[in-house]
Amino acid sequence: MTESVTSDAEIRSILESETIAVVGCSSTPGKAAHDVPAYLHERGYDVIPVNPFADEIFGRSVPDSLVVVDDEIDVVCVFRPSEEVSDIVEQVLERDDVRAVWTQLGIRDETAAERVLESGREVVQDRCMKVEHRRLVA
């Protein structure tokens, strides 16, 4: 079992980040992959939606992958199935700016998480960013 972030202090520290790239962000209200990033956006986070099947979300153009995001990214939040986490982590590891990878509820990949940790970054798995923000920050 990898040493993912679990303490409230560590989670609060990650939530103090400014820019969150949301891989799998949805343009469909009512879906968690839309409503959670919308919540974060409404609370002042710079949310970068990443989705190869959407053109615009939250009034901004949507890059196909993390590789083509020009902005600095603090946290990568993942709304994709667990089996896709490894490929997303591969993209994270090609960047110098990402400090943490956060997988939403029901999403975990121990091997990918281990690779993130070995690169000196933090990992939160199987937790909802909105729930944790409400609990610790709001």
Side-chain angles (χ1 to χ4, degrees), residues 31-131:
K31 285 184 149 186
H34 173 85
D35 294 349
V36 171
Y39 168 89
L40 297 169
H41 178 69
E42 289 161 6
R43 271 137 196 93
Y45 288 95
D46 181 13
V47 175
I48 301 169
V50 179
N51 183 333
F53 305 107
D55 294 325
E56 185 180 294
I57 302 174
F58 311 133
R60 67 189 295 170
S61 61
V62 181
D64 291 350
S65 70
L66 292 172
V67 176
V68 296
V69 174
D70 291 329
D71 304 38
E72 292 271 317
I73 299 171
D74 299 318
V75 179
V76 171
C77 178
V78 179
F79 274 99
R80 298 300 305 146
S82 296
E83 55 271 14
E84 292 182 29
V85 172
S86 180
D87 289 340
I88 295 163
V89 163
E90 206 53 52
Q91 294 176 35
V92 166
L93 297 178
E94 291 177 21
R95 301 182 64 100
D96 294 328
D97 53 351
V98 179
R99 105 172 231 225
V101 174
W102 185 305
T103 64
Q104 285 293 127
L105 283 174
I107 305 168
R108 60 170 47 257
D109 178 330
E110 295 301 330
T111 305
E114 194 62 49
R115 288 174 36 226
V116 172
L117 293 169
E118 286 169 2
S119 76
R121 305 164 210 236
E122 297 174 292
V123 176
V124 178
Q125 294 194 91
D126 193 19
R127 286 181 181 245
C128 178
M129 208 170 222
K130 178 179 175 180
V131 168

